Amino acid sequence: MPHTDQEAQDKASHTKPIQRNSTFNRAVRLRSRGKARGTSEGNPGYPADPLENENSVNEPLTLNLPQSRKHLWRIPIQTDPGAKRTSESSSTPGNGATPEEFPALADSPTTLTEALQMIHPIPADSWRNLIEQIGLLYQEYRDKSTLQEIETRRQQDAEIQGAADGCPSSEEAPEEDEGEEEEEPASPPERKALPQICLLSNPHSRFNLWQDLPEIQSSGVLDILQPEEIRLQEAMFELITSEASYYKSLNLLVSHFMENERLKKILHPSEAHILFSNVLDVMAVSERFLLELERRMEENIVISDVCDIVYRYAADHFSVYITYVSNQTYQERTYKQLLQEKAAFRELIAQLELDPKCRGLPLSSFLILPFQRITRLKLLVQNILKRVEERSEREGTALDAHKELELVVKACNEGVRKMSRTEQMISIQKKMEFKIKSVPIISHSRWLLKQGELQQMSGPKTSRTLRTKKLFREIYLFLFNDLLVICRQIPGDKYQVFDSAPRGLLRAEELEDQGQTLANVFILRLLENSDDREATYMLKASSQSEMKRWMTSLAPNRRTKFVSFTSRLLDCPQVQCVHPYVAQQPDELTLELADILNILDKTEDGWIFGERLHDQERGWFPSNMTEEILNPKIRSQNLKECFRVHKMDDPQRSQNKDRRKLGSRNRQ
């Protein structure tokens, strides 16, 4: 790469606007037209083409963006007032242009000359080699990325929290940039040791950063881009390389498992169809998506944008994910049945999983790839959205892409839930015998929220009654989203229904001054039961967490320990997930590594009721699956980023909507 003869030590920063009608961009467009006419491709030294117009010398620099994406965006560039205007000639035209080669540059500023030298297309062969050399399967890539994200938050939390504890006035100080270091206290306070996570280490894998690419290192572009833009480039680069890793894993699923000749003979066509679904369609979409991302990367080593491509594919092509994910319930069931009933299938799968290509990963981890990818893709776009400049065109594109991905993810979740809920409602209906007027259980708009056994207190609260053995008797509750059914379990795995009430007519309250006998007891009121009368039940749960979980589910509008909506505006306790957790009950929340959650309520026996920031899903989960974020600045930053990601296109409309929600909650 050409370089300037001399650079000054002190550099000031300013922002150079980028427009399309520039000397560099016209030259690149002409080279692109030459390629289209049949010129040779793959030559990193592009031949110089005459410029269309050499009069616009002082025009701001532009990137070579396609005409379909006429984004005007800005690259923060560091200037060097003392640097010379001349530069050495280069054998690669377009990378370094001297005044003799381009007379229009004779009077141009030094910053423009430096930008022309350092911002250039990346050779296609070099980029394709990088994609091919990615050694991590997507499962490994995803785990390593999330673990690094957790460790980064831990370091920030520990360092800044330590500084805050050493400086009492630190909470009142204005917020500082993430990259700005704070003074370390002389004696940091003792803090409970954080659980250690062993990061995935594979000496043969390629897990590069954008700034580690040889083309980036040699171009000198890191010297003229501001840290904010570099972080944005890393976020977009991660989306591209993770898609390449994902496609590699999909290709392994198809070539190594699905197309195995022995497996084809073992499986019936219907079993193979359920097991692999439309994975070929998913892989074809991923291949086209990756190809467009590669082309964008080849345009320029400084990536212009990727969210416009994500938006187009989410809107027009990602419906294949909905089809695949909706089949997940039948896929899991068929896979378990095949492992149990077909020894040949079980032995062959075990043999294929031992192949070094699989890196010790089971077939089930490959089958769930599409669902993991579509949810992860939404988080990657969120990561980009947090780093683009506010009120810019790139922010609008990222918001559009995020909104489309949310629709796809929501449709995937609904598809999975619809399949499992229908079967669950049919099974529950068969087990119920009504002692009262029969209530139709199966409905397309009804689903189960919670079920379980509780103890009903019988008789008045007298000392004589408390000493009797039959103070409590077992009852069984089925709580749906719109209905409560109260039963007694009878022989034959059946349930006899003796009362019911609409969910909206339920009230739950905790007893005060509980003794040992009445521990974990709460009162459930049915304002209008099956007999059109008010009924009251005194119920005892097995633990404090179980009591709170029932009360939260029975009366969702009751106040929690931490108010959800206002917690987005004020400080709220937060945790991040450090161990994945799969929900065991309908009221629980499945956690993925690095999820950030607001704490809405918690119990003394180790359960937390929380709201995940990136999708506002709520549920209970064990506290030992997470660790608390102690620093208030990081918590505040997480809330601000969440609010920015989920804001509406019309800020005034979003503000009015938020006011209506807050007023409604205050009235409740």
Side-chain angles (χ1 to χ4, degrees):
M1 284 295 300
H3 58 274
T4 56
D5 296 333
Q6 177 178 347
E7 293 185 356
Q9 297 180 353
D10 299 326
K11 293 187 177 182
S13 299
H14 79 290
T15 301
K16 290 288 294 181
I18 298 185
Q19 300 176 359
R20 291 186 57 79
N21 190 23
S22 67
T23 303
F24 169 76
N25 193 52
R26 289 196 302 271
V28 174
R29 287 205 305 267
L30 286 174
R31 288 197 293 271
S32 300
R33 293 173 185 172
K35 286 183 181 181
R37 297 189 187 101
T39 56
S40 60
E41 298 180 0
N43 184 9
Y46 298 108
D49 290 310
L51 300 179
E52 295 177 343
N53 185 1
E54 298 177 350
N55 296 330
S56 57
V57 176
N58 297 320
E59 291 180 342
L61 178 65
T62 182
L63 293 181
N64 181 25
L65 307 183
Q67 293 288 346
S68 60
R69 306 179 302 107
K70 297 185 178 180
H71 296 305
L72 297 179
W73 59 291
R74 302 164 70 86
I75 291 184
I77 298 178
Q78 299 179 0
T79 60
D80 184 1
K84 295 183 180 180
R85 294 184 178 182
T86 60
S87 61
E88 298 178 0
S89 60
S90 172
S91 60
T92 306
N95 295 348
T98 62
E100 290 77 10
E101 293 173 318
F102 296 93
L105 301 180
D107 299 327
S108 61
T110 303
T111 55
L112 178 59
T113 304
E114 291 175 352
L116 287 172
Q117 294 169 349
M118 298 179 182
I119 302 178
H120 60 85
I122 185 171
D125 291 341
S126 175
W127 170 244
R128 293 190 181 112
N129 289 337
L130 170 68
I131 294 296
E132 293 174 359
Q133 291 175 7
I134 290 180
L136 291 174
L137 294 177
Y138 181 69
Q139 299 93 315
E140 301 169 309
Y141 192 109
R142 181 173 175 267
D143 290 344
K144 187 171 184 179
S145 176
T146 51
L147 291 175
Q148 287 180 342
E149 187 177 348
I150 291 173
E151 291 297 336
T152 300
R153 290 202 196 110
R154 282 176 170 171
Q155 294 173 6
Q156 292 175 344
D157 196 20
E159 293 174 2
I160 304 179
Q161 180 65 22
D165 293 341
C167 179
S169 61
S170 61
E171 293 184 2
E172 300 175 2
E175 294 185 13
E176 299 177 1
D177 293 337
E178 295 179 3
E180 188 172 346
E181 298 181 356
E182 298 184 20
E183 296 182 2
E184 297 182 1
S187 58
E190 294 185 0
R191 184 184 178 188
K192 184 178 179 180
L194 299 175
Q196 297 296 320
I197 292 182
C198 296
L199 296 177
L200 178 65
S201 56
N202 186 346
H204 304 291
S205 66
R206 292 285 298 270
F207 188 76
N208 290 325
L209 297 173
W210 174 79
Q211 55 189 311
D212 293 336
L213 295 177
E215 291 80 8
I216 303 299
Q217 293 283 340
S218 61
S219 69
V221 72
L222 297 175
D223 297 330
I224 63 173
L225 294 182
Q226 293 287 2
E228 294 81 3
E229 181 66 30
I230 293 177
R231 284 194 287 268
L232 175 59
Q233 293 294 314
E234 296 290 3
M236 293 189 288
F237 183 72
E238 182 182 2
L239 188 147
I240 299 174
T241 52
S242 63
E243 185 67 27
S245 178
Y246 167 64
Y247 176 74
K248 177 179 181 179
S249 296
L250 279 183
N251 189 42
L252 183 60
L253 170 63
V254 172
S255 61
H256 188 63
F257 291 99
M258 180 179 174
E259 296 181 350
N260 182 275
E261 293 299 330
R262 291 176 57 192
L263 188 61
K264 289 181 179 179
K265 296 178 181 178
I266 295 174
L267 293 179
H268 188 273
S270 61
E271 295 173 334
H273 177 70
I274 296 176
L275 192 61
F276 297 104
S277 189
N278 63 326
V279 68
L280 293 178
D281 297 334
V282 174
M283 189 173 71
V285 169
S286 175
E287 182 178 9
R288 296 196 301 269
F289 182 49
L290 178 60
L291 182 60
E292 288 209 35
L293 293 174
E294 289 181 5
R295 289 171 180 168
R296 181 64 53 81
M297 185 72 181
E298 291 168 5
E299 291 176 5
N300 206 293
I301 59 175
V302 179
I303 309 170
S304 59
D305 197 3
V306 295
C307 289
D308 58 321
I309 300 176
V310 176
Y311 168 75
R312 188 169 66 254
Y313 271 78
D316 300 335
H317 304 290
F318 282 173
S319 58
V320 295
Y321 282 94
I322 302 174
T323 304
Y324 185 92
V325 174
S326 298
N327 184 55
Q328 182 177 344
T329 302
Y330 299 119
Q331 182 187 68
E332 292 177 352
R333 182 194 305 160
T334 301
Y335 181 59
K336 291 179 181 179
Q337 289 178 349
L338 289 172
L339 289 176
Q340 294 174 357
E341 299 173 2
K342 289 192 175 183
F345 175 83
R346 182 172 60 252
E347 294 172 0
L348 177 58
I349 292 300
Q351 180 181 349
L352 293 176
E353 290 174 346
L354 292 176
D355 193 291
K357 297 177 183 177
C358 297
R359 307 286 182 84
L361 296 169
L363 172 60
S364 58
S365 71
F366 289 90
L367 294 175
I368 202 173
L369 280 174
F371 183 70
Q372 290 180 335
R373 179 54 183 172
I374 197 64
T375 53
R376 182 65 180 172
L377 194 58
K378 188 185 77 168
L379 298 180
L380 292 174
V381 171
Q382 284 186 9
N383 199 28
I384 295 173
L385 182 55
K386 296 172 185 176
R387 288 161 172 76
V388 295
E389 53 275 22
E390 292 193 38
R391 298 182 180 87
S392 65
E393 192 164 356
R394 283 198 292 185
E395 183 190 47
T397 305
L399 284 171
D400 291 341
H402 182 264
K403 184 182 296 184
E404 287 297 328
L405 285 173
E406 274 196 322
L407 295 175
V408 175
V409 172
K410 183 178 179 180
C412 289
N413 289 330
E414 288 299 322
V416 174
R417 291 169 182 167
K418 184 177 180 181
M419 295 292 185
S420 60
R421 285 172 178 172
T422 301
E423 294 187 350
Q424 187 179 44
M425 298 300 286
I426 295 175
S427 175
I428 293 175
Q429 175 78 60
K430 292 179 179 179
K431 295 180 180 180
M432 285 189 176
E433 294 181 0
F434 285 86
K435 187 177 179 180
I436 59 174
K437 182 180 178 181
S438 178
V439 178
I441 298 298
I442 300 177
S443 172
H444 293 293
S445 59
R446 178 174 295 157
W447 62 87
L448 183 69
L449 294 181
K450 189 172 179 61
Q451 66 175 344
E453 186 177 83
L454 291 172
Q455 303 290 321
Q456 180 191 4
M457 181 176 180
S458 58
K461 292 191 297 181
T462 63
S463 58
R464 182 177 59 83
T465 307
L466 291 175
R467 288 193 296 267
T468 61
K469 295 182 179 180
K470 296 183 179 180
L471 175 60
F472 295 100
R473 57 179 178 178
E474 294 80 8
I475 63 172
Y476 203 94
L477 271 60
F478 288 94
L479 179 64
F480 304 98
N481 62 309
D482 61 347
L483 178 69
L484 171 67
V485 178
I486 305 177
C487 318
R488 289 190 181 91
Q489 195 164 5
I490 58 178
D493 195 21
K494 299 283 186 176
Y495 300 92
Q496 186 180 63
V497 180
F498 65 87
D499 208 350
S500 65
R503 187 178 178 222
L505 298 179
L506 303 178
R507 299 295 182 267
E509 57 185 75
E510 190 173 352
L511 283 181
E512 298 180 359
D513 301 327
Q514 295 180 348
Q516 182 177 1
T517 306
L518 298 180
N520 307 321
V521 173
F522 66 97
I523 297 176
L524 173 63
R525 286 191 173 90
L526 283 57
L527 300 184
E528 185 177 314
N529 68 356
S530 57
D531 296 329
D532 298 330
R533 295 184 302 177
E534 182 174 344
T536 301
Y537 294 89
M538 188 173 293
L539 304 176
K540 180 180 176 65
S542 59
S543 63
Q544 184 196 35
S545 60
E546 187 67 13
M547 179 190 69
K548 284 200 170 186
R549 288 172 62 171
W550 270 110
M551 293 179 66
T552 302
S553 300
L554 289 166
N557 293 328
R558 61 182 290 271
R559 287 186 176 272
T560 55
K561 189 173 183 179
F562 307 99
V563 181
S564 172
F565 179 75
T566 55
S567 68
R568 299 193 191 183
L569 308 178
L570 307 176
D571 190 19
C572 177
Q574 290 179 1
V575 292
Q576 72 166 337
C577 174
V578 295
H579 302 289
Y581 177 72
V582 179
Q584 305 298 317
Q585 297 291 335
D587 64 334
E588 294 180 5
L589 188 62
T590 296
L591 301 181
E592 299 286 348
L593 285 175
D595 280 350
I596 301 179
L597 305 103
N598 278 345
I599 300 177
L600 305 183
D601 206 343
K602 56 184 177 182
T603 65
E604 296 177 358
D605 54 352
W607 283 84
I608 294 176
F609 181 62
E611 181 181 67
R612 190 162 45 214
L613 292 188
H614 74 76
D615 60 3
Q616 282 78 58
E617 290 287 335
R618 296 185 188 182
W620 291 89
F621 52 88
S623 58
N624 58 5
M625 297 291 106
T626 64
E627 63 184 23
E628 188 171 359
I629 299 175
L630 302 177
N631 184 266
K633 292 183 180 179
I634 295 181
R635 295 197 298 262
S636 176
Q637 181 65 27
N638 291 336
L639 293 175
K640 289 178 180 178
E641 291 177 350
C642 172
F643 183 77
R644 182 184 179 188
V645 166
H646 293 93
K647 72 181 181 180
M648 302 291 291
D649 294 339
D650 184 1
Q652 187 65 33
R653 180 183 176 188
S654 177
Q655 185 177 6
N656 294 337
K657 183 178 181 181
D658 292 343
R659 287 175 179 171
R660 290 195 298 270
K661 284 185 177 180
L662 182 57
S664 175
R665 288 180 178 266
N666 290 337
R667 287 191 297 271
Q668 293 175 359

Short mmCIF file of all heavy atoms in Angstrom, two decimals, residues 373-406:
data_model
loop_
_atom_site.label_atom_id
_atom_site.label_comp_id
_atom_site.label_asym_id
_atom_site.label_seq_id
_atom_site.Cartn_x
_atom_site.Cartn_y
_atom_site.Cartn_z
N ARG A 373 -30.23 -19.83 14.25
CA ARG A 373 -29.67 -18.79 13.38
C ARG A 373 -30.62 -17.61 13.23
O ARG A 373 -30.20 -16.46 13.28
CB ARG A 373 -29.36 -19.38 11.99
CG ARG A 373 -28.79 -18.36 11.00
CD ARG A 373 -27.57 -17.68 11.57
NE ARG A 373 -27.04 -16.65 10.67
CZ ARG A 373 -26.06 -15.80 11.02
NH1 ARG A 373 -25.52 -15.87 12.22
NH2 ARG A 373 -25.63 -14.90 10.15
N ILE A 374 -31.90 -17.87 13.05
CA ILE A 374 -32.82 -16.77 12.81
C ILE A 374 -32.96 -15.90 14.06
O ILE A 374 -33.10 -14.68 13.98
CB ILE A 374 -34.20 -17.30 12.33
CG1 ILE A 374 -35.01 -16.17 11.70
CG2 ILE A 374 -34.95 -17.95 13.45
CD1 ILE A 374 -34.41 -15.61 10.44
N THR A 375 -32.89 -16.51 15.23
CA THR A 375 -32.92 -15.71 16.46
C THR A 375 -31.61 -14.97 16.66
O THR A 375 -31.60 -13.82 17.10
CB THR A 375 -33.21 -16.61 17.67
OG1 THR A 375 -32.26 -17.68 17.70
CG2 THR A 375 -34.60 -17.19 17.60
N ARG A 376 -30.50 -15.60 16.35
CA ARG A 376 -29.19 -14.95 16.49
C ARG A 376 -29.04 -13.82 15.50
O ARG A 376 -28.42 -12.79 15.80
CB ARG A 376 -28.08 -15.98 16.31
CG ARG A 376 -26.67 -15.44 16.49
CD ARG A 376 -26.43 -14.98 17.90
NE ARG A 376 -25.10 -14.45 18.08
CZ ARG A 376 -24.67 -13.83 19.17
NH1 ARG A 376 -25.49 -13.70 20.21
NH2 ARG A 376 -23.44 -13.39 19.26
N LEU A 377 -29.58 -13.99 14.31
CA LEU A 377 -29.48 -12.95 13.29
C LEU A 377 -30.16 -11.67 13.77
O LEU A 377 -29.67 -10.56 13.52
CB LEU A 377 -30.11 -13.44 11.99
CG LEU A 377 -29.83 -12.62 10.73
CD1 LEU A 377 -28.34 -12.53 10.46
CD2 LEU A 377 -30.54 -13.23 9.52
N LYS A 378 -31.27 -11.81 14.46
CA LYS A 378 -31.94 -10.63 15.00
C LYS A 378 -31.05 -9.92 16.02
O LYS A 378 -30.97 -8.69 16.05
CB LYS A 378 -33.26 -11.04 15.65
CG LYS A 378 -34.13 -9.85 16.06
CD LYS A 378 -35.37 -10.27 16.81
CE LYS A 378 -35.04 -10.63 18.24
NZ LYS A 378 -36.25 -10.76 19.08
N LEU A 379 -30.35 -10.68 16.85
CA LEU A 379 -29.45 -10.07 17.83
C LEU A 379 -28.25 -9.40 17.17
O LEU A 379 -27.78 -8.36 17.64
CB LEU A 379 -28.97 -11.14 18.82
CG LEU A 379 -30.05 -11.82 19.66
CD1 LEU A 379 -29.43 -12.86 20.59
CD2 LEU A 379 -30.84 -10.80 20.46
N LEU A 380 -27.77 -9.97 16.08
CA LEU A 380 -26.65 -9.35 15.36
C LEU A 380 -27.07 -8.02 14.74
O LEU A 380 -26.30 -7.05 14.73
CB LEU A 380 -26.14 -10.30 14.28
CG LEU A 380 -25.45 -11.57 14.79
CD1 LEU A 380 -25.12 -12.51 13.63
CD2 LEU A 380 -24.18 -11.23 15.57
N VAL A 381 -28.29 -7.95 14.23
CA VAL A 381 -28.79 -6.68 13.70
C VAL A 381 -28.98 -5.68 14.84
O VAL A 381 -28.71 -4.48 14.67
CB VAL A 381 -30.10 -6.90 12.92
CG1 VAL A 381 -30.75 -5.57 12.55
CG2 VAL A 381 -29.85 -7.73 11.66
N GLN A 382 -29.42 -6.16 15.99
CA GLN A 382 -29.51 -5.26 17.15
C GLN A 382 -28.15 -4.70 17.51
O GLN A 382 -28.02 -3.52 17.85
CB GLN A 382 -30.09 -6.02 18.35
CG GLN A 382 -31.57 -6.26 18.29
CD GLN A 382 -32.09 -6.89 19.58
OE1 GLN A 382 -31.37 -6.98 20.56
NE2 GLN A 382 -33.35 -7.31 19.57
N ASN A 383 -27.13 -5.53 17.42
CA ASN A 383 -25.77 -5.09 17.72
C ASN A 383 -25.32 -4.00 16.75
O ASN A 383 -24.64 -3.04 17.14
CB ASN A 383 -24.82 -6.28 17.67
CG ASN A 383 -23.52 -6.02 18.40
OD1 ASN A 383 -23.47 -5.24 19.34
ND2 ASN A 383 -22.47 -6.68 17.96
N ILE A 384 -25.69 -4.14 15.49
CA ILE A 384 -25.37 -3.10 14.50
C ILE A 384 -26.15 -1.84 14.80
O ILE A 384 -25.62 -0.72 14.75
CB ILE A 384 -25.67 -3.61 13.08
CG1 ILE A 384 -24.75 -4.78 12.71
CG2 ILE A 384 -25.55 -2.50 12.05
CD1 ILE A 384 -25.09 -5.45 11.40
N LEU A 385 -27.42 -2.01 15.12
CA LEU A 385 -28.29 -0.86 15.38
C LEU A 385 -27.79 -0.03 16.55
O LEU A 385 -27.93 1.20 16.56
CB LEU A 385 -29.71 -1.36 15.64
CG LEU A 385 -30.80 -0.33 15.89
CD1 LEU A 385 -30.87 0.67 14.75
CD2 LEU A 385 -32.14 -1.01 16.06
N LYS A 386 -27.19 -0.67 17.53
CA LYS A 386 -26.68 0.07 18.69
C LYS A 386 -25.47 0.93 18.33
O LYS A 386 -25.14 1.85 19.07
CB LYS A 386 -26.28 -0.91 19.79
CG LYS A 386 -27.43 -1.71 20.36
CD LYS A 386 -26.93 -2.80 21.30
CE LYS A 386 -28.07 -3.68 21.78
NZ LYS A 386 -27.60 -4.81 22.62
N ARG A 387 -24.82 0.65 17.20
CA ARG A 387 -23.58 1.33 16.86
C ARG A 387 -23.70 2.32 15.71
O ARG A 387 -22.77 3.08 15.47
CB ARG A 387 -22.50 0.29 16.54
CG ARG A 387 -22.00 -0.44 17.77
CD ARG A 387 -21.30 -1.74 17.45
NE ARG A 387 -20.68 -2.32 18.64
CZ ARG A 387 -21.33 -2.94 19.61
NH1 ARG A 387 -22.64 -3.10 19.51
NH2 ARG A 387 -20.70 -3.41 20.66
N VAL A 388 -24.78 2.30 14.97
CA VAL A 388 -24.94 3.27 13.89
C VAL A 388 -25.32 4.61 14.47
O VAL A 388 -25.85 4.70 15.59
CB VAL A 388 -26.01 2.82 12.86
CG1 VAL A 388 -25.58 1.56 12.16
CG2 VAL A 388 -27.35 2.62 13.55
N GLU A 389 -25.02 5.66 13.72
CA GLU A 389 -25.33 7.00 14.19
C GLU A 389 -26.85 7.19 14.24
O GLU A 389 -27.59 6.70 13.38
CB GLU A 389 -24.69 8.06 13.28
CG GLU A 389 -25.00 7.90 11.81
CD GLU A 389 -24.10 6.93 11.08
OE1 GLU A 389 -23.48 6.06 11.73
OE2 GLU A 389 -24.00 7.05 9.85
N GLU A 390 -27.30 7.89 15.27
CA GLU A 390 -28.74 8.10 15.45
C GLU A 390 -29.29 9.03 14.38
O GLU A 390 -28.63 9.93 13.90
CB GLU A 390 -29.01 8.68 16.84
CG GLU A 390 -28.71 7.71 17.98
CD GLU A 390 -29.26 8.19 19.31
OE1 GLU A 390 -30.37 8.76 19.30
OE2 GLU A 390 -28.59 8.01 20.33
N ARG A 391 -30.55 8.76 14.01
CA ARG A 391 -31.29 9.55 13.02
C ARG A 391 -30.59 9.56 11.66
O ARG A 391 -30.74 10.48 10.88
CB ARG A 391 -31.50 10.99 13.50
CG ARG A 391 -32.33 11.09 14.78
CD ARG A 391 -32.54 12.56 15.17
NE ARG A 391 -33.33 12.65 16.38
CZ ARG A 391 -32.84 12.61 17.60
NH1 ARG A 391 -31.52 12.48 17.76
NH2 ARG A 391 -33.62 12.72 18.66
N SER A 392 -29.81 8.52 11.39
CA SER A 392 -29.15 8.40 10.09
C SER A 392 -29.93 7.43 9.22
O SER A 392 -30.83 6.71 9.68
CB SER A 392 -27.72 7.90 10.26
OG SER A 392 -27.71 6.58 10.79
N GLU A 393 -29.58 7.40 7.95
CA GLU A 393 -30.25 6.48 7.03
C GLU A 393 -29.90 5.04 7.35
O GLU A 393 -30.72 4.13 7.20
CB GLU A 393 -29.87 6.81 5.59
CG GLU A 393 -30.75 6.10 4.57
CD GLU A 393 -30.64 6.70 3.19
OE1 GLU A 393 -29.94 7.71 3.04
OE2 GLU A 393 -31.24 6.14 2.27
N ARG A 394 -28.67 4.83 7.83
CA ARG A 394 -28.29 3.47 8.21
C ARG A 394 -29.08 3.00 9.44
O ARG A 394 -29.38 1.82 9.56
CB ARG A 394 -26.78 3.39 8.47
CG ARG A 394 -25.96 3.37 7.20
CD ARG A 394 -24.56 2.86 7.46
NE ARG A 394 -23.79 3.79 8.27
CZ ARG A 394 -22.49 3.62 8.56
NH1 ARG A 394 -21.86 2.57 8.10
NH2 ARG A 394 -21.85 4.50 9.29
N GLU A 395 -29.41 3.90 10.33
CA GLU A 395 -30.24 3.53 11.46
C GLU A 395 -31.64 3.12 10.98
O GLU A 395 -32.22 2.14 11.46
CB GLU A 395 -30.36 4.68 12.46
CG GLU A 395 -31.17 4.30 13.70
CD GLU A 395 -31.50 5.48 14.59
OE1 GLU A 395 -31.94 6.51 14.06
OE2 GLU A 395 -31.31 5.37 15.82
N GLY A 396 -32.19 3.88 10.02
CA GLY A 396 -33.49 3.52 9.48
C GLY A 396 -33.49 2.16 8.82
O GLY A 396 -34.43 1.37 8.98
N THR A 397 -32.42 1.86 8.08
CA THR A 397 -32.32 0.55 7.43
C THR A 397 -32.21 -0.57 8.46
O THR A 397 -32.83 -1.63 8.33
CB THR A 397 -31.09 0.51 6.50
OG1 THR A 397 -31.16 1.60 5.58
CG2 THR A 397 -31.05 -0.79 5.73
N ALA A 398 -31.42 -0.33 9.52
CA ALA A 398 -31.27 -1.33 10.56
C ALA A 398 -32.59 -1.56 11.30
O ALA A 398 -32.93 -2.70 11.64
CB ALA A 398 -30.18 -0.92 11.54
N LEU A 399 -33.33 -0.48 11.55
CA LEU A 399 -34.64 -0.63 12.21
C LEU A 399 -35.60 -1.43 11.34
O LEU A 399 -36.35 -2.28 11.85
CB LEU A 399 -35.22 0.75 12.52
CG LEU A 399 -34.63 1.50 13.72
CD1 LEU A 399 -35.15 2.94 13.76
CD2 LEU A 399 -34.94 0.79 15.02
N ASP A 400 -35.58 -1.17 10.04
CA ASP A 400 -36.45 -1.92 9.13
C ASP A 400 -36.09 -3.41 9.12
O ASP A 400 -36.96 -4.28 9.16
CB ASP A 400 -36.36 -1.35 7.72
CG ASP A 400 -36.98 0.04 7.60
OD1 ASP A 400 -37.79 0.39 8.48
OD2 ASP A 400 -36.65 0.77 6.66
N ALA A 401 -34.77 -3.69 9.06
CA ALA A 401 -34.33 -5.08 9.06
C ALA A 401 -34.70 -5.77 10.37
O ALA A 401 -35.16 -6.92 10.37
CB ALA A 401 -32.81 -5.15 8.84
N HIS A 402 -34.53 -5.06 11.46
CA HIS A 402 -34.86 -5.64 12.77
C HIS A 402 -36.35 -5.93 12.88
O HIS A 402 -36.76 -6.97 13.42
CB HIS A 402 -34.41 -4.69 13.88
CG HIS A 402 -34.65 -5.23 15.26
ND1 HIS A 402 -35.77 -4.90 15.99
CD2 HIS A 402 -33.93 -6.08 16.03
CE1 HIS A 402 -35.72 -5.52 17.15
NE2 HIS A 402 -34.62 -6.24 17.21
N LYS A 403 -37.16 -5.03 12.38
CA LYS A 403 -38.61 -5.22 12.44
C LYS A 403 -39.03 -6.44 11.62
O LYS A 403 -39.87 -7.24 12.07
CB LYS A 403 -39.33 -3.97 11.94
CG LYS A 403 -40.85 -4.05 12.08
CD LYS A 403 -41.51 -2.80 11.51
CE LYS A 403 -41.13 -1.57 12.29
NZ LYS A 403 -41.85 -0.36 11.82
N GLU A 404 -38.46 -6.61 10.44
CA GLU A 404 -38.80 -7.77 9.62
C GLU A 404 -38.34 -9.07 10.28
O GLU A 404 -39.05 -10.08 10.25
CB GLU A 404 -38.17 -7.63 8.23
CG GLU A 404 -38.83 -6.61 7.33
CD GLU A 404 -40.28 -6.97 7.00
OE1 GLU A 404 -40.58 -8.18 6.91
OE2 GLU A 404 -41.09 -6.05 6.83
N LEU A 405 -37.15 -9.04 10.88
CA LEU A 405 -36.66 -10.24 11.55
C LEU A 405 -37.52 -10.57 12.76
O LEU A 405 -37.75 -11.76 13.06
CB LEU A 405 -35.21 -10.04 11.98
CG LEU A 405 -34.16 -10.11 10.87
CD1 LEU A 405 -32.79 -9.72 11.39
CD2 LEU A 405 -34.11 -11.51 10.26
N GLU A 406 -37.99 -9.56 13.46
CA GLU A 406 -38.90 -9.81 14.59
C GLU A 406 -40.17 -10.52 14.13
O GLU A 406 -40.66 -11.41 14.82
CB GLU A 406 -39.24 -8.49 15.29
CG GLU A 406 -38.24 -8.06 16.34
CD GLU A 406 -38.80 -6.99 17.26
OE1 GLU A 406 -39.52 -6.11 16.76
OE2 GLU A 406 -38.50 -7.03 18.46
#
